Amino acid sequence: SAVGRGPEVPFRSEAYRISALARGKELRLTLSALDPAALPPQDLVFRFGMSGSFRLCPAAELPRHAHLRFLTRESPPRALCFVDPRRFGSWRLGDAWQPERGPCVVSEYQAFRENVLKNLDDRAFDKPICEVLLNQKYFNGIGNYLRAEILYRLKIPPFEKARTVLEALKEQEQERRKKDPSLTLSKKVKLMQENPDLLELCHSVPMEVITAEKQLFDPEDSDNYAAFKDWLRCYLVPGMSSLRDRSGRTIWFQVGAWGCCPELGGPQTTLPRGQQSVSSLLGLVLHSLALMPTQVTSPVKRRHRAAANPPKSEEGEEKKEEEADGPRKGRARGRRKAAAAPALPDPEVPPSVRRSRRTSARRGQGEAGSP
């Protein structure tokens, strides 16, 4: 489309086939001409951002924000469209996955698990588990609603330190191997189904959505969206609580299970079931206050930071928006500037009256400052 941000696709063929392969949060399309000698295949790798999707519709009834279209030869023709209302998604030419993304939690489960457990010394795991679950270097494919559902099912406090949670899994796995070193694959699958751990749920919870009979994520289809809402147990569910983490993303969790505050170094907060509804508001306020020093910076520091960091590329900004719909920086600063700006003189007040007011004010300051 004329407003699409992606590159032009140098592929023109009267008859071609489209195949797809997913890996984490990326999707690779391969366009192959039916006559292989006529044109070499063309690969495109898509990132969906927060609102990207594919839709098949009549070519005469294109949806809004259809930024890339593949037309069929039938009569009347249809169009396979990449639709992205918020434009956080993108596509690029070539078949290469993004190098900073780890193994896929769905299609490369064993490699994903090993990648996490062997790198627990990484400073990334110093953060709360709810933030680490969005790190695509280790949890490629986990997004905001999935992390909430996974932590809720295991009753893991979202602000518990990630390394604390995952090291326990590593120890359990080592003990399991010592007890039964000849554990077969079928027994492993059975144990995983009976008592899944965090990493296993990172695989099985997305699979529940993928294998669902209906496509659950179309808000324009009321039946499908209702099915998705019924599937959710925590995310956006009435009665659950939410907080913004340090990256600006909203984490949903069960009231009374918000975990420890890493900034304060305090113990995990747990309440008796009867006291959760009474004390939850106080706990949320205390946790919000604990996060404030990491979110507020002085105007001087912001100016130095802006000077040190030149503007990022458009692709970098899109990636930032995809991974964190962060806090709107700069608004508070704008309000402070507006409040500090000198008031303009009132045109209705004569100049002589204004001068007398200033004189009276100076005299009052002098009297107040005298011993």
Side-chain angles (χ1 to χ4, degrees):
S1 69
V3 296
R5 295 182 177 180
E8 277 291 328
V9 181
F11 185 87
R12 297 291 181 273
S13 176
E14 288 297 322
Y16 61 97
R17 180 183 294 108
I18 300 179
S19 58
L21 179 65
R23 183 177 186 267
K25 287 193 173 185
E26 293 184 291
L27 179 74
R28 182 167 65 208
L29 294 189
T30 301
L31 314 180
S32 306
L34 295 187
D35 181 6
L39 196 67
Q42 174 66 59
D43 292 301
L44 306 171
V45 176
F46 287 81
R47 288 191 300 112
F48 291 87
M50 303 173 72
S51 61
S53 65
F54 277 97
R55 298 186 193 178
L56 184 64
C57 58
E61 302 174 10
L62 293 177
R64 295 183 61 190
H65 311 289
H67 298 304
L68 190 63
R69 307 147 191 173
F70 304 94
L71 302 177
T72 67
R73 299 183 66 189
E74 59 192 336
S75 182
R78 289 185 294 171
L80 178 65
C81 305
F82 177 63
V83 182
D84 186 17
R86 300 182 71 178
R87 301 191 197 179
F88 293 160
S90 64
W91 67 87
R92 62 184 184 276
L93 305 179
D95 61 353
W97 306 110
Q98 283 186 316
E100 63 269 22
R101 291 182 182 268
C104 176
V105 297
V106 172
S107 61
E108 303 168 301
Y109 169 69
Q110 198 57 43
F112 148 71
R113 186 180 184 92
E114 294 173 359
N115 185 47
V116 172
L117 295 180
K118 74 179 182 181
N119 288 295
L120 291 181
D121 292 336
D122 192 330
R123 292 179 60 185
F125 294 98
D126 292 338
K127 296 181 179 181
I129 185 62
C130 67
E131 296 180 15
V132 174
L133 283 175
L134 296 184
N135 187 336
Q136 300 301 294
K137 180 179 179 181
Y138 295 108
F139 294 88
N140 185 15
I142 300 299
N144 206 15
Y145 83 92
L146 285 173
R147 70 167 175 174
E149 296 299 312
I150 291 166
L151 294 176
Y152 170 78
R153 295 190 186 192
L154 292 174
K155 306 303 179 190
I156 295 177
F159 291 95
E160 185 68 57
K161 191 174 181 180
R163 187 177 290 107
T164 302
V165 175
L166 294 169
E167 280 184 343
L169 301 187
K170 192 173 183 179
E171 293 173 1
Q172 291 173 6
E173 190 167 280
Q174 292 173 349
E175 291 177 2
R176 187 186 300 174
R177 288 177 179 176
K178 289 179 181 178
K179 291 180 180 178
D180 192 355
S182 61
L183 206 61
T184 63
L185 180 60
S186 60
K187 289 183 179 179
K188 288 181 180 179
V189 172
K190 184 178 180 181
L191 289 173
M192 173 180 171
Q193 294 173 344
E194 293 175 351
N195 189 25
D197 60 31
L198 176 68
L199 298 181
E200 289 164 347
L201 281 186
C202 286
H203 171 77
S204 60
V205 173
M207 285 299 298
E208 290 180 16
V209 182
I210 293 171
T211 56
E213 293 183 1
K214 289 186 176 182
Q215 199 261 340
L216 303 177
F217 299 96
D218 187 359
E220 295 183 0
D221 188 326
S222 58
D223 293 335
N224 285 349
Y225 192 60
F228 173 57
K229 290 176 67 176
D230 290 340
W231 176 83
L232 294 171
R233 303 184 191 179
C234 179
Y235 184 77
L236 298 177
V237 173
M240 297 296 167
S241 295
S242 63
L243 281 175
R244 278 185 177 264
D245 60 25
R246 289 178 297 184
S247 62
R249 300 299 300 273
T250 302
I251 173 66
W252 289 80
F253 56 94
Q254 188 175 20
V255 172
W258 51 85
C260 65
C261 299
E263 292 79 10
L264 299 180
Q268 173 182 329
T269 304
T270 55
L271 297 174
R273 182 170 297 178
Q275 298 179 12
Q276 288 180 0
S277 59
V278 179
S279 305
S280 59
L281 179 60
L282 176 60
L284 297 179
V285 170
L286 291 176
H287 184 79
S288 299
L289 292 175
L291 293 182
M292 283 178 62
T294 66
Q295 296 175 344
V296 178
T297 55
S298 68
V300 176
K301 288 183 178 180
R302 275 197 292 265
R303 284 195 294 270
H304 286 312
R305 188 181 301 167
N309 299 326
K312 295 182 180 179
S313 64
E314 186 176 278
E315 182 180 357
E317 288 300 323
E318 289 177 4
K319 180 179 177 183
K320 180 180 178 182
E321 290 289 354
E322 175 193 352
E323 296 182 353
D325 54 344
R328 294 355 183 228
K329 297 181 180 178
R331 289 187 179 181
R333 185 172 131 193
R335 287 196 296 269
R336 284 195 292 272
K337 283 187 176 180
L344 296 176
D346 190 347
E348 300 296 329
V349 181
S352 60
V353 175
R354 291 201 296 268
R355 285 195 297 272
S356 65
R357 287 180 179 175
R358 288 197 296 269
T359 304
S360 300
R362 284 196 295 270
R363 287 175 180 171
Q365 291 174 359
E367 292 173 0
S370 60

